[in-house]
Amino acid sequence: ELESLVINIHKTPGSSRVGGGANPCAFVPQNYFNDVNGTKEDFDKMGLDWREVSSTYFQLVQPNGLVKPAVYSNDTGDYDMGVAMAAASCVHPTHREFGVTSGRPRVVGFFDCVMQAELISNQGPYTSISAFDRGDDYDEYGLCIAYIYHHPEGKTMYSNGREFKSGTIIKCGEQLPTQPIMAHCQPIIKKVSGWRDTPIFARSKEWQGRVKGGELPGPVCEILDTIEYFTGTKVLSIGNGPRGDDIIYIREVGETEEVGAAAGKTLSSTVMSNGDTTTTTTTTIPTTTTTTTA
Protein backbone atom coordinates (compact mmCIF):
# COMPACT_ATOMS: atom_id res chain seq x y z
CA GLU A 1 0.00 0.00 0.00
CA LEU A 2 1.37 3.39 -1.02
CA GLU A 3 1.15 6.56 1.01
CA SER A 4 1.23 9.57 -1.30
CA LEU A 5 2.71 12.94 -0.58
CA VAL A 6 4.59 15.65 -2.46
CA ILE A 7 8.33 16.08 -2.06
CA ASN A 8 9.41 19.52 -3.19
CA ILE A 9 12.79 19.65 -4.94
CA HIS A 10 15.11 22.60 -4.46
CA LYS A 11 18.76 23.24 -5.30
CA THR A 12 21.31 25.27 -3.38
CA PRO A 13 23.90 26.83 -3.36
CA GLY A 14 23.48 28.46 -6.76
CA SER A 15 19.68 28.30 -6.73
CA SER A 16 18.32 29.04 -10.20
CA ARG A 17 14.89 29.85 -11.55
CA VAL A 18 13.83 29.65 -15.19
CA GLY A 19 11.32 31.79 -17.07
CA GLY A 20 10.52 35.47 -16.81
CA GLY A 21 9.19 37.55 -13.95
CA ALA A 22 10.60 39.16 -10.84
CA ASN A 23 13.20 37.25 -8.82
CA PRO A 24 14.23 39.26 -5.74
CA CYS A 25 16.76 36.71 -4.46
CA ALA A 26 18.83 36.56 -7.68
CA PHE A 27 22.21 38.24 -8.07
CA VAL A 28 20.92 40.02 -11.19
CA PRO A 29 17.41 40.70 -12.56
CA GLN A 30 15.74 37.58 -13.94
CA ASN A 31 15.99 38.61 -17.61
CA TYR A 32 19.39 40.28 -17.37
CA PHE A 33 21.54 37.77 -19.24
CA ASN A 34 18.91 37.36 -21.92
CA ASP A 35 18.67 41.14 -22.38
CA VAL A 36 22.45 41.56 -22.73
CA ASN A 37 22.84 38.30 -24.66
CA GLY A 38 25.35 37.03 -22.12
CA THR A 39 27.20 33.78 -22.89
CA LYS A 40 29.64 31.43 -21.19
CA GLU A 41 32.36 32.81 -23.46
CA ASP A 42 31.67 36.29 -22.09
CA PHE A 43 31.97 34.99 -18.54
CA ASP A 44 35.23 33.19 -19.28
CA LYS A 45 36.70 36.42 -20.70
CA MET A 46 35.91 38.20 -17.43
CA GLY A 47 38.71 36.21 -15.78
CA LEU A 48 36.88 35.97 -12.47
CA ASP A 49 38.54 34.41 -9.43
CA TRP A 50 35.83 32.56 -7.50
CA ARG A 51 37.44 32.92 -4.10
CA GLU A 52 37.97 36.65 -4.50
CA VAL A 53 34.55 37.37 -6.03
CA SER A 54 32.54 35.36 -3.50
CA SER A 55 34.52 36.67 -0.54
CA THR A 56 34.07 40.27 -1.69
CA TYR A 57 30.37 39.76 -2.32
CA PHE A 58 29.56 38.37 1.11
CA GLN A 59 31.60 41.10 2.79
CA LEU A 60 29.06 43.50 1.27
CA VAL A 61 26.17 41.92 3.19
CA GLN A 62 25.44 44.52 5.87
CA PRO A 63 24.24 43.83 9.43
CA ASN A 64 20.66 44.59 8.31
CA GLY A 65 20.91 41.86 5.68
CA LEU A 66 21.00 44.17 2.67
CA VAL A 67 23.78 43.85 0.09
CA LYS A 68 25.69 47.09 -0.32
CA PRO A 69 26.01 48.07 -4.03
CA ALA A 70 29.57 47.92 -5.31
CA VAL A 71 31.73 47.50 -8.39
CA TYR A 72 34.13 44.60 -8.79
CA SER A 73 37.29 45.32 -10.77
CA ASN A 74 40.04 43.14 -12.18
CA ASP A 75 42.43 43.28 -15.13
CA THR A 76 39.61 42.64 -17.63
CA GLY A 77 37.31 45.46 -16.55
CA ASP A 78 34.83 46.83 -14.04
CA TYR A 79 31.64 44.89 -13.26
CA ASP A 80 28.59 45.36 -11.09
CA MET A 81 29.15 43.15 -8.04
CA GLY A 82 25.94 41.22 -8.66
CA VAL A 83 26.93 40.53 -12.26
CA ALA A 84 30.38 39.33 -11.15
CA MET A 85 28.87 37.01 -8.51
CA ALA A 86 26.30 35.65 -10.96
CA ALA A 87 28.91 35.01 -13.65
CA ALA A 88 31.40 33.45 -11.22
CA SER A 89 28.66 31.14 -9.91
CA CYS A 90 27.61 30.05 -13.39
CA VAL A 91 31.12 29.07 -14.48
CA HIS A 92 32.13 27.49 -11.17
CA PRO A 93 33.19 23.87 -11.91
CA THR A 94 30.59 22.41 -9.52
CA HIS A 95 27.78 24.75 -10.64
CA ARG A 96 27.92 25.07 -14.44
CA GLU A 97 24.57 26.79 -14.55
CA PHE A 98 23.88 26.88 -18.28
CA GLY A 99 20.82 25.65 -20.12
CA VAL A 100 21.24 22.11 -21.45
CA THR A 101 19.53 22.96 -24.73
CA SER A 102 20.03 26.71 -25.12
CA GLY A 103 23.47 27.01 -23.52
CA ARG A 104 22.36 30.30 -21.99
CA PRO A 105 23.51 31.18 -18.50
CA ARG A 106 20.90 30.65 -15.81
CA VAL A 107 20.12 33.39 -13.33
CA VAL A 108 21.34 32.20 -9.93
CA GLY A 109 21.04 33.50 -6.40
CA PHE A 110 20.25 32.66 -2.80
CA PHE A 111 17.95 30.00 -1.40
CA ASP A 112 14.64 31.89 -1.33
CA CYS A 113 12.93 31.21 2.01
CA VAL A 114 10.06 33.57 1.15
CA MET A 115 9.16 31.67 -2.01
CA GLN A 116 9.78 28.33 -0.31
CA ALA A 117 7.25 29.24 2.39
CA GLU A 118 4.72 30.08 -0.32
CA LEU A 119 5.45 26.79 -2.06
CA ILE A 120 4.98 24.55 0.96
CA SER A 121 1.74 26.31 1.93
CA ASN A 122 0.30 24.77 -1.22
CA GLN A 123 2.26 21.54 -1.62
CA GLY A 124 3.21 20.47 1.90
CA PRO A 125 6.45 20.79 3.89
CA TYR A 126 8.53 17.83 2.68
CA THR A 127 11.59 18.93 0.72
CA SER A 128 14.78 17.50 -0.74
CA ILE A 129 17.61 19.91 -1.52
CA SER A 130 20.02 18.85 -4.24
CA ALA A 131 23.58 20.02 -4.98
CA PHE A 132 24.33 20.80 -1.34
CA ASP A 133 27.93 19.72 -1.80
CA ARG A 134 28.47 22.92 -3.79
CA GLY A 135 28.86 24.54 -0.39
CA ASP A 136 32.18 22.71 -0.03
CA ASP A 137 33.77 25.66 -1.88
CA TYR A 138 32.11 28.51 0.03
CA ASP A 139 33.71 30.43 2.89
CA GLU A 140 30.31 32.06 3.45
CA TYR A 141 26.84 31.63 2.01
CA GLY A 142 23.53 33.38 2.46
CA LEU A 143 19.82 32.66 2.65
CA CYS A 144 17.11 35.09 1.59
CA ILE A 145 14.83 35.27 4.65
CA ALA A 146 12.68 38.27 3.59
CA TYR A 147 12.21 40.87 0.86
CA ILE A 148 12.26 44.63 1.23
CA TYR A 149 10.38 46.88 -1.17
CA HIS A 150 12.21 49.94 -2.49
CA HIS A 151 10.96 51.99 -5.43
CA PRO A 152 13.68 54.13 -7.08
CA GLU A 153 11.19 57.00 -7.46
CA GLY A 154 9.70 56.55 -4.00
CA LYS A 155 6.33 55.43 -5.36
CA THR A 156 3.80 53.68 -3.15
CA MET A 157 2.12 50.64 -4.67
CA TYR A 158 -0.77 48.41 -3.61
CA SER A 159 -1.42 44.68 -3.80
CA ASN A 160 -4.16 42.53 -2.22
CA GLY A 161 -5.25 45.41 -0.01
CA ARG A 162 -1.75 46.07 1.36
CA GLU A 163 0.18 49.31 0.92
CA PHE A 164 3.81 49.02 -0.09
CA LYS A 165 6.05 51.98 0.67
CA SER A 166 9.82 51.98 0.35
CA GLY A 167 11.06 50.03 3.35
CA THR A 168 8.09 47.64 3.53
CA ILE A 169 9.30 44.16 4.48
CA ILE A 170 7.72 40.99 3.09
CA LYS A 171 8.29 38.10 5.49
CA CYS A 172 8.11 34.36 5.02
CA GLY A 173 4.51 33.20 5.16
CA GLU A 174 3.01 36.52 4.17
CA GLN A 175 0.96 36.83 0.98
CA LEU A 176 3.19 37.65 -1.95
CA PRO A 177 2.49 40.90 -3.81
CA THR A 178 2.04 41.24 -7.56
CA GLN A 179 4.93 41.09 -10.03
CA PRO A 180 5.23 44.90 -10.48
CA ILE A 181 5.91 45.19 -6.76
CA MET A 182 8.20 42.14 -6.63
CA ALA A 183 10.28 43.76 -9.37
CA HIS A 184 11.25 46.46 -6.87
CA CYS A 185 12.10 44.08 -4.02
CA GLN A 186 15.58 43.28 -2.73
CA PRO A 187 16.60 40.28 -0.62
CA ILE A 188 17.30 40.45 3.09
CA ILE A 189 20.15 38.01 3.64
CA LYS A 190 21.13 35.92 6.63
CA LYS A 191 24.78 34.97 6.25
CA VAL A 192 25.97 31.53 7.27
CA SER A 193 29.41 29.98 7.32
CA GLY A 194 30.66 27.64 4.64
CA TRP A 195 32.20 24.25 5.37
CA ARG A 196 35.30 24.18 3.22
CA ASP A 197 37.27 22.29 5.88
CA THR A 198 34.63 19.55 6.20
CA PRO A 199 33.46 18.77 2.63
CA ILE A 200 30.42 16.57 2.14
CA PHE A 201 30.97 15.65 -1.53
CA ALA A 202 30.20 11.95 -1.78
CA ARG A 203 33.59 10.96 -3.17
CA SER A 204 35.78 13.33 -1.17
CA LYS A 205 38.39 11.79 1.12
CA GLU A 206 36.81 13.47 4.13
CA TRP A 207 33.32 12.16 3.43
CA GLN A 208 34.56 8.66 2.65
CA GLY A 209 36.39 8.60 5.98
CA ARG A 210 33.48 9.89 8.07
CA VAL A 211 31.77 7.98 10.86
CA LYS A 212 28.59 6.73 9.19
CA GLY A 213 25.46 7.89 10.92
CA GLY A 214 27.36 10.77 12.51
CA GLU A 215 26.50 14.43 12.51
CA LEU A 216 26.77 16.74 9.54
CA PRO A 217 29.16 19.72 9.70
CA GLY A 218 27.85 22.52 11.90
CA PRO A 219 27.36 25.05 9.04
CA VAL A 220 25.27 22.51 7.08
CA CYS A 221 23.07 22.04 10.14
CA GLU A 222 22.79 25.81 10.54
CA ILE A 223 21.54 26.25 6.98
CA LEU A 224 19.02 23.43 7.29
CA ASP A 225 17.81 24.72 10.65
CA THR A 226 17.45 28.25 9.24
CA ILE A 227 15.45 27.04 6.25
CA GLU A 228 13.16 24.96 8.44
CA TYR A 229 12.73 27.76 10.99
CA PHE A 230 11.73 30.48 8.53
CA THR A 231 9.68 28.37 6.12
CA GLY A 232 8.19 25.47 8.07
CA THR A 233 9.91 23.11 5.64
CA LYS A 234 10.78 19.56 6.64
CA VAL A 235 14.06 18.70 4.89
CA LEU A 236 14.12 14.95 4.26
CA SER A 237 17.40 14.78 2.36
CA ILE A 238 20.20 16.71 0.71
CA GLY A 239 22.21 15.80 -2.37
CA ASN A 240 26.00 15.55 -2.17
CA GLY A 241 26.99 14.57 -5.70
CA PRO A 242 25.78 14.13 -9.29
CA ARG A 243 24.78 10.47 -9.03
CA GLY A 244 21.26 9.43 -8.26
CA ASP A 245 22.34 7.69 -5.06
CA ASP A 246 24.41 10.64 -3.80
CA ILE A 247 21.81 11.48 -1.17
CA ILE A 248 22.10 12.13 2.56
CA TYR A 249 18.88 11.32 4.39
CA ILE A 250 18.32 13.59 7.36
CA ARG A 251 17.20 12.70 10.86
CA GLU A 252 17.30 15.40 13.51
CA VAL A 253 18.62 14.63 16.98
CA GLY A 254 15.74 13.26 19.04
CA GLU A 255 13.62 12.60 15.96
CA THR A 256 12.26 9.08 15.76
CA GLU A 257 8.56 8.81 14.99
CA GLU A 258 8.15 10.86 11.81
CA VAL A 259 11.11 9.51 9.87
CA GLY A 260 10.75 6.06 11.37
CA ALA A 261 7.13 5.83 10.28
CA ALA A 262 8.13 6.62 6.71
CA ALA A 263 11.14 4.29 6.67
CA GLY A 264 11.10 1.75 3.89
CA LYS A 265 7.97 3.16 2.26
CA THR A 266 7.84 4.12 -1.38
CA LEU A 267 6.48 7.61 -1.75
CA SER A 268 4.51 9.05 -4.64
CA SER A 269 6.20 10.19 -7.82
CA THR A 270 7.59 13.71 -7.74
CA VAL A 271 8.45 16.05 -10.57
CA MET A 272 11.99 17.42 -10.60
CA SER A 273 13.07 20.13 -13.03
CA ASN A 274 16.68 20.93 -13.84
CA GLY A 275 15.78 24.10 -15.69
CA ASP A 276 15.43 22.67 -19.18
CA THR A 277 14.03 19.18 -18.82
CA THR A 278 11.58 17.61 -16.42
CA THR A 279 12.03 14.13 -15.00
CA THR A 280 9.54 12.12 -12.98
CA THR A 281 11.15 10.17 -10.17
CA THR A 282 9.96 7.91 -7.38
CA THR A 283 11.49 8.28 -3.93
CA THR A 284 11.86 5.65 -1.23
CA ILE A 285 12.95 6.58 2.28
CA PRO A 286 15.40 3.93 3.53
CA THR A 287 14.95 2.13 6.82
CA THR A 288 18.14 3.63 8.26
CA THR A 289 19.08 7.28 7.91
CA THR A 290 22.75 7.94 7.34
CA THR A 291 23.24 11.27 9.01
CA THR A 292 21.85 13.38 11.82
CA THR A 293 21.68 17.14 12.12
CA ALA A 294 22.50 19.10 15.21
Side-chain angles (χ1 to χ4, degrees):
E1 182 180 351
L2 299 180
E3 294 186 9
S4 297
L5 73 155
V6 174
I7 300 179
N8 304 294
I9 308 297
H10 203 111
K11 173 180 63 180
T12 204
S15 299
S16 61
R17 189 185 305 168
V18 299
N23 186 359
C25 72
F27 299 133
V28 295
Q30 182 68 11
N31 296 323
Y32 179 80
F33 291 138
N34 182 66
D35 292 343
V36 301
N37 197 29
T39 65
K40 181 179 183 302
E41 289 71 24
D42 296 328
F43 294 173
D44 289 337
K45 291 177 182 177
M46 293 168 69
L48 300 172
D49 179 88
W50 165 255
R51 192 80 70 251
E52 183 179 70
V53 172
S54 60
S55 175
T56 302
Y57 186 90
F58 285 107
Q59 288 175 15
L60 295 171
V61 178
Q62 303 171 94
N64 63 2
L66 299 180
V67 180
K68 184 178 180 180
V71 173
Y72 174 80
S73 301
N74 65 9
D75 293 339
T76 68
D78 301 322
Y79 308 100
D80 173 84
M81 195 68 235
V83 172
M85 185 63 183
S89 299
C90 283
V91 298
H92 190 285
T94 66
H95 291 35
R96 297 178 181 173
E97 286 291 338
F98 298 91
V100 175
T101 303
S102 67
R104 290 184 178 276
R106 297 181 180 131
V107 172
V108 297
F110 303 102
F111 186 102
D112 191 340
C113 290
V114 181
M115 199 63 70
Q116 176 73 6
E118 175 74 9
L119 172 71
I120 69 167
S121 70
N122 292 282
Q123 296 187 179
Y126 297 104
T127 298
S128 177
I129 305 175
S130 65
F132 225 83
D133 57 298
R134 290 177 174 183
D136 290 358
D137 202 24
Y138 281 74
D139 292 309
E140 290 184 294
Y141 187 55
L143 303 168
C144 172
I145 59 172
Y147 305 150
I148 185 167
Y149 170 77
H150 175 75
H151 196 287
E153 299 175 6
K155 292 182 178 180
T156 298
M157 301 180 73
Y158 298 86
S159 174
N160 302 314
R162 183 179 179 183
E163 181 183 65
F164 290 83
K165 296 181 178 180
S166 288
T168 299
I169 294 176
I170 304 164
K171 301 177 182 179
C172 297
E174 295 183 345
Q175 186 174 22
L176 296 178
T178 55
Q179 287 288 306
I181 293 175
M182 294 273 282
H184 297 296
C185 288
Q186 301 295 324
I188 296 177
I189 303 304
K190 174 178 171 55
K191 286 203 299 184
V192 293
S193 299
W195 52 89
R196 188 188 306 280
D197 295 334
T198 52
I200 64 171
F201 175 56
R203 276 162 294 288
S204 66
K205 179 179 66 175
E206 292 81 0
W207 182 256
Q208 292 290 329
R210 78 193 188 286
V211 176
K212 294 186 178 181
E215 295 184 0
L216 287 166
V220 174
C221 299
E222 181 183 3
I223 291 179
L224 296 177
D225 286 346
T226 301
I227 291 171
E228 292 190 343
Y229 174 79
F230 280 100
T231 68
T233 294
K234 176 62 181 174
V235 180
L236 296 178
S237 65
I238 58 176
N240 66 333
R243 298 178 183 174
D245 58 351
D246 291 338
I247 301 175
I248 304 170
Y249 292 93
I250 306 298
R251 175 185 289 172
E252 295 181 5
V253 171
E255 177 187 55
T256 57
E257 294 183 2
E258 186 169 5
V259 172
K265 294 182 179 179
T266 301
L267 307 179
S268 60
S269 295
T270 60
V271 177
M272 178 172 60
S273 172
N274 66 8
D276 292 275
T277 61
T278 299
T279 306
T280 301
T281 61
T282 299
T283 304
T284 301
I285 296 181
T287 302
T288 304
T289 55
T290 59
T291 308
T292 59
T293 61

